[in-house]
């Protein structure tokens, strides 16, 4: 109790320097070892949310929260504690330098396009799309609800018999409820009629540590009933994966069939047949991305999970709703002709907002899990 007079003296000194509401909050924070934050950033155990989970739900901190002064609405601010940091993960990413690029029987190298990238931004060329073969690994994923097929998400062909996608894009349906179409344009009413570009799904392998609330470890692999014949279909190819590449500071390309009004240009506004769109995005470091996301409603305590990477932050240029699972691809070096998958579209705070990048599952982070998971099925990358 010897520190009580000193604390009171400091409190009195601060009372003369700032507003009453600010001082009341400061006293609450000091005495309660907490921070005043909007109520929706305080979970039901009394700790500040750092993972973004449940931000669309109205929740208060703990059973008996301490309310702070200020804010726009009554009881808007509560005093919430910062959760103790967990010890750093001991898991490591493979550092092997011997990467064997998958080759088809015709020795087609992975990640090779059939044409040079011609980046089209959100604002222009809304009626155009990449030509056939420009993204020969792009996969549209469909699911069946009763007798109706609907587009569930996107993915990338990483092996003639395997598609990489986001775990959130493939809920736990029966395996017969999924169909994959690689680099094809087909109306939903025609699904089941294209033997060359369409495949049924044999197995859906979601990451065992996927969390639907936070989207941590948002990765899944679809194993196809039949492999694609890359020799017979020149507009289909696999994308490359790298075990330890860094894509920070590069400009990478994302393609997808999602919404246009807030992200990639429209895929359905002018035609019932989905049309693939693309654009180029910068890739900030995880620290810079985290700082930008902390300026949004995710809050100043938001922590970017190690399974994520980011791309974007330029006004009007972003992946958006409907692009979940789409691949973000990059070259690993200025003179590299093959493209490697850096990320998998996961989530964003709005679409195409200046200074707010989109968040992607980090494909490099999951390289070893992908390899090991497919190896169990005798599929080798």
């Amino acid at each position: 109790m010897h520190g009580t007079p000193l604390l009171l003296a400091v409190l009195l000194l601060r009372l003369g320097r700032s507003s009453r509401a600010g001082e009341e909050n400061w006293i609450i924070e000091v005495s309660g070892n907490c921070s005043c934050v909007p109520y929706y950033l305080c979970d039901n155990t009394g700790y500040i949310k750092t993972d973004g989970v449940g931000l669309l739900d109205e929740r208060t901190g703990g059973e008996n929260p301490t309310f702070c002064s200020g804010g726009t609405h009554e009881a808007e601010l509560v005093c919430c504690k910062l959760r103790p940091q967990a010890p750093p993960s001991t898991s490591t990413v493979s550092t092997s330098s011997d990467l064997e690029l998958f080759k088809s029987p015709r020795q087609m190298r992975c990640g090779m396009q059939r044409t040079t990238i011609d980046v089209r931004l959100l604002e222009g060329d809304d009626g155009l799309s990449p030509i056939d073969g420009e993204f020969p690994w792009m996969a549209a994923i469909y699911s069946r609800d009763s007798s109706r097929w609907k587009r569930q998400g996107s993915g990338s062909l990483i092996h003639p018999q395997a598609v990489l996608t986001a775990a959130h894009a493939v809920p736990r349906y029966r395996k017969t409820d999924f169909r994959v179409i690689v680099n094809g344009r087909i109306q939903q009413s025609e699904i089941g009629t294209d033997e060359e570009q369409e495949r049924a799904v044999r197995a859906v392998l979601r990451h065992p540590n996927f969390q639907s609330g936070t989207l941590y470890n948002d990765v899944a692999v679809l194993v196809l009933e039949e492999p694609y014949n890359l020799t017979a279909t020149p507009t289909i190819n696999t994308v490359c994966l790298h075990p330890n590449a860094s894509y920070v500071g590069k400009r990478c390309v994302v393609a997808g069939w999602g919404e246009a009004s807030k992200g990639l240009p429209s895929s359905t506004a002018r035609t019932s047949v989905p049309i693939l769109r693309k654009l180029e995005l910068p890739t900030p470091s995880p620290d810079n991305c985290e700082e930008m996301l902390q300026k949004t409603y995710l809050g100043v305590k938001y922590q970017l999970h190690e399974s994520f990477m980011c791309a974007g932050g330029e006004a009007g240029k972003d992946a958006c709703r409907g692009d979940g699972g789409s691949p973000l691809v990059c070259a690993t070096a200025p003179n590299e002709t093959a493209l490697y998958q850096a990320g998998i579209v996961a989530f964003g705070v709005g679409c195409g907002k200046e200074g707010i990048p989109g968040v992607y599952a980090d494909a490099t982070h999951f390289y070893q899990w992908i390899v090991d998971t497919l190896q169990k099925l005798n599929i080798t990358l």
Side-chain angles (χ1 to χ4, degrees), residues 117 119-122 247-255 262-265 278-284 309-320 323 326-331 342 345 351-353 356-360:
I117 293 177
V119 177
R120 300 178 184 122
L121 306 185
L122 172 65
Y247 303 100
V248 173
K250 298 182 181 296
R251 293 192 70 86
C252 302
V253 176
V254 64
K262 298 179 181 178
L264 287 167
K278 61 178 181 179
L279 53 84
E280 187 182 81
L281 300 170
T283 52
M309 57 91 65
C310 300
E314 298 177 346
K317 298 169 64 177
D318 202 355
C320 199
D323 291 318
S326 292
L328 177 77
V329 296
C330 316
V345 174
C351 297
K353 295 182 179 180
I356 305 178
V359 182
Y360 297 68

Side-chain angles (χ1 to χ4, degrees), residues 324-366:
S326 292
L328 177 77
V329 296
C330 316
T332 57
N335 296 324
E336 176 63 67
T337 54
L339 291 178
Y340 291 76
Q341 184 162 354
I344 305 164
V345 174
F347 74 92
V349 180
C351 297
K353 295 182 179 180
E354 181 75 30
I356 305 178
V359 182
Y360 297 68
D362 188 334
T364 301
H365 178 83
F366 294 108

Side-chain angles (χ1 to χ4, degrees), residues 55-111:
L55 291 183
L56 297 181
D57 299 327
E58 293 188 0
R59 295 177 183 169
T60 57
E63 295 182 359
N64 298 294
T66 300
F67 293 100
C68 302
S69 301
T72 305
H73 307 289
E74 183 179 357
E76 178 181 2
L77 301 179
V78 297
C79 211
C80 197
K81 296 184 179 182
L82 184 62
R83 192 179 302 278
Q85 291 289 327
S89 172
T90 58
S91 63
T92 58
V93 177
S94 170
T95 57
S96 170
S97 59
D98 299 325
L99 175 66
E100 290 294 329
L101 300 180
F102 173 80
K103 296 181 180 180
S104 73
R106 59 181 161 78
Q107 299 298 298
M108 171 51 70
R109 191 181 176 198
C110 70

